[in-house]
């Protein structure tokens, strides 16, 4: 099977981190194709960045309509439902996947994410996914997304400290990493913390393999049916849904 992993920000080096994390857990026979969005912000750190990332995400899906499954590798799960409308293969968001994995492993988990201003986005997802009973707290480290790539930055130490607080103060039994750019920190943190640390990229790859393995695809009845054919105007006229 072929799983197309889309980094909705436009930073190729972060796509490398994402692709490596995916390949590390992919089953034999699973081809991982990790791509960087061609349009939008170098890092997604707010509602506007997210909204502007969705056209690039849609492009990346349309470039491979026959992929067996897709992963949206950004913790805001931007454009998840729109992506499910246009794709036939299952589409997994890393936040949704990570939260579900955490809920299987601990009665309470905490999310440790980047900037304070993106914390509310993760909180909205906790509610949207019905995870309020499992998610004890969403914690911000105030690390800009691209600082995660700077080996000289304090990012690792700050994330570890926030994870330790999540265990001691939230009494959480598992940690969900709140950014695709943290995918390479799992082993280091698990060794230090002694609790399951979940990276959404890896979680989404395994869920994608399971769904494809079950022969399941996105339902095309109801709200996730292909978008209705109609004209689009202006800069987005090329995105007018085709007649089917
Ligand atoms: C992510 N931003 O996973 C999110 C993390 C965040 O560019 N990749 C990004 O802070 O919401």
């Amino acid at each position: 099977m072929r799983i197309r992993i889309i980094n909705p920000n436009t930073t190729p080096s972060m796509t490398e981190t994402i692709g490596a994390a995916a390949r590390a857990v992919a089953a034999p026979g699973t081809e991982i194709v990790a791509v960087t969005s061609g349009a939008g912000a170098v890092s997604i750190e707010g509602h506007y960045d997210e909204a502007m990332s969705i056209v690039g995400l849609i492009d990346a899906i349309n470039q491979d309509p026959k992929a067996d499954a897709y992963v949206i590798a950004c913790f805001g799960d931007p454009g998840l439902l729109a992506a499910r409308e246009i794709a036939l293969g299952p589409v997994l968001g890393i936040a949704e996947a990570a939260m579900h994995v955490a809920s299987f492993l601990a009665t309470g988990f905490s999310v440790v994410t980047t900037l304070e201003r993106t914390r509310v986005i993760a909180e909205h997802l906790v509610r949207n996914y019905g995870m309020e009973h499992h998610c004890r707290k969403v914690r911000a480290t105030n690390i800009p997304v691209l600082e995660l790539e700077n080996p000289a930055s304090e990012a690792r130490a700050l994330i570890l400290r926030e994870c330790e607080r999540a265990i001691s103060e939230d009494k959480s039994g598992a940690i969900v990493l709140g950014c695709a750019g943290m995918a390479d920190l799992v082993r280091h943190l698990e060794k230090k913390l002694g609790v399951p640390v979940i990276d959404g990229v890896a979680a989404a790859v395994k869920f994608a393999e399971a769904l494809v393995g079950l022969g399941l695809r996105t339902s095309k009845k109801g709200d996730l049916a292909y978008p209705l054919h109609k004209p689009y105007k202006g800069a987005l006229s090329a995105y007018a849904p085709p007649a089917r």
Side-chain angles (χ1 to χ4, degrees):
M1 76 175 73
R2 184 171 70 254
I3 302 177
R4 191 171 179 80
I5 307 206
I6 302 153
N7 174 11
N9 77 33
T10 51
T11 300
S13 52
M14 189 162 285
T15 309
E16 293 305 310
T17 304
I18 291 164
R23 291 186 188 94
V25 299
T30 295
E31 179 197 3
I32 298 290
V33 180
V35 298
T36 308
S37 169
V42 290
S43 61
I44 297 169
E45 296 171 321
H47 308 292
Y48 182 82
D49 291 345
E50 275 205 1
M52 289 299 149
S53 75
I54 296 172
V55 170
L57 169 72
I58 298 292
D59 285 343
I61 290 173
N62 286 334
Q63 283 151 13
D64 187 0
K66 296 225 175 321
D68 297 291
Y70 305 85
V71 171
I72 300 176
C74 172
F75 201 80
D77 293 355
L80 181 61
L81 295 180
R84 285 179 176 157
E85 273 192 70
I86 64 163
L88 185 54
V91 182
L92 284 300
I94 65 171
E96 187 178 28
M99 292 183 196
H100 280 84
V101 167
S103 71
F104 299 151
L105 304 173
T107 50
F109 68 81
S110 295
V111 175
V112 174
T113 191
T114 57
L115 296 181
E116 178 59 30
R117 68 176 295 155
T118 64
R119 196 160 60 81
V120 66
I121 294 176
E123 288 171 346
H124 286 174
L125 294 180
V126 165
R127 284 196 292 278
N128 288 355
Y129 298 146
M131 284 288 159
E132 304 96 317
H133 304 301
H134 299 281
C135 183
R136 299 264 166 86
K137 192 173 176 64
V138 177
R139 292 174 166 273
T141 56
N142 261 331
I143 300 164
V145 169
L146 295 185
E147 266 305 286
L148 294 167
E149 305 212 304
N150 170 6
S153 83
E154 285 185 290
R156 274 181 176 233
L158 289 171
I159 292 166
L160 176 59
R161 200 166 56 210
E162 209 55 45
C163 292
E164 285 164 345
R165 284 196 188 121
I167 295 166
S168 57
E169 297 168 21
D170 311 342
K171 305 292 178 245
S172 283
I175 300 290
V176 165
L177 296 179
C179 181
M182 294 178 184
D184 56 351
L185 298 181
V186 171
R187 296 288 152 270
H188 162 73
L189 292 169
E190 266 184 350
K191 236 183 284 151
K192 297 271 187 188
L193 299 166
V195 301
V197 175
I198 295 110
D199 151 49
V201 172
V205 166
K206 299 319 283 184
F207 274 134
E209 287 178 336
L211 293 171
V212 174
L214 289 165
L216 295 171
R217 293 170 151 183
T218 302
S219 171
K220 289 300 163 191
K221 286 272 178 292
D223 66 308
L224 298 179
Y226 292 111
L228 299 171
H229 171 55
K230 65 186 71 172
Y232 273 38
K233 299 280 176 59
L236 297 177
S237 53
Y239 292 87
R244 290 180 182 267

